[in-house]
Amino acid sequence: MACCDDPTEPKKLDRRELIRLQEQYGELVRDLFTEDPERVILKLLNGASPYLTELAALNAYHASVRLRAIELLDHNSAAVLRQIVDKHAGSEFAAAAQARLAQLQR
């Protein structure tokens, strides 16, 4: 008598999906070891969730990653942009966040 999905049950992965995820993970690890990690992270940032993009804008190690993440933030992340402006006043990150806020207000 199963009418609905039980939220307490773990989702079952299709075997093909599991294999695809394992291959994707393997490729990522290979890229991190054999390429410039900064370039790999920049590439991954384009497909990242809004949450991960916000984290990158706030805390990424590489300045280029932080600046790119700031560019990718949208109006839903205005509070994060304001936080960057306040926390890093006078820095290139604050300037980028301020510019992005101005773009979003248009």
Side-chain angles (χ1 to χ4, degrees):
M1 182 174 184
C3 72
C4 308
D5 288 332
D6 184 356
T8 61
E9 284 289 318
K11 293 190 180 206
K12 296 196 175 29
L13 273 178
D14 178 20
R15 184 149 177 77
R16 292 173 297 199
E17 179 68 13
L18 179 62
I19 291 169
R20 188 186 69 76
L21 289 172
Q22 287 173 333
E23 288 174 354
Q24 186 179 20
Y25 175 76
E27 290 170 4
L28 173 62
V29 171
R30 183 198 68 223
D31 288 348
L32 286 171
F33 284 138
T34 60
E35 290 186 32
D36 177 16
E38 186 175 359
R39 272 199 340 223
V40 173
I41 294 167
L42 282 168
K43 186 169 54 171
L44 290 172
L45 187 60
N46 291 325
S49 70
Y51 173 73
L52 291 176
T53 304
E54 288 175 354
L55 280 177
L58 289 167
N59 300 314
Y61 177 77
H62 299 287
S64 63
V65 174
R66 288 184 76 179
L67 292 170
R68 178 66 182 138
I70 289 169
E71 288 175 17
L72 293 172
L73 294 178
D74 62 12
H75 65 281
N76 294 326
S77 299
V80 172
L81 290 166
R82 285 189 208 93
Q83 183 180 349
I84 293 168
V85 169
D86 294 341
K87 187 176 177 183
H88 302 285
S91 72
E92 64 181 322
F93 305 123
Q98 190 66 46
R100 184 65 181 142
L101 279 169
Q103 283 179 336
L104 294 174
Q105 291 175 353
R106 290 184 207 162

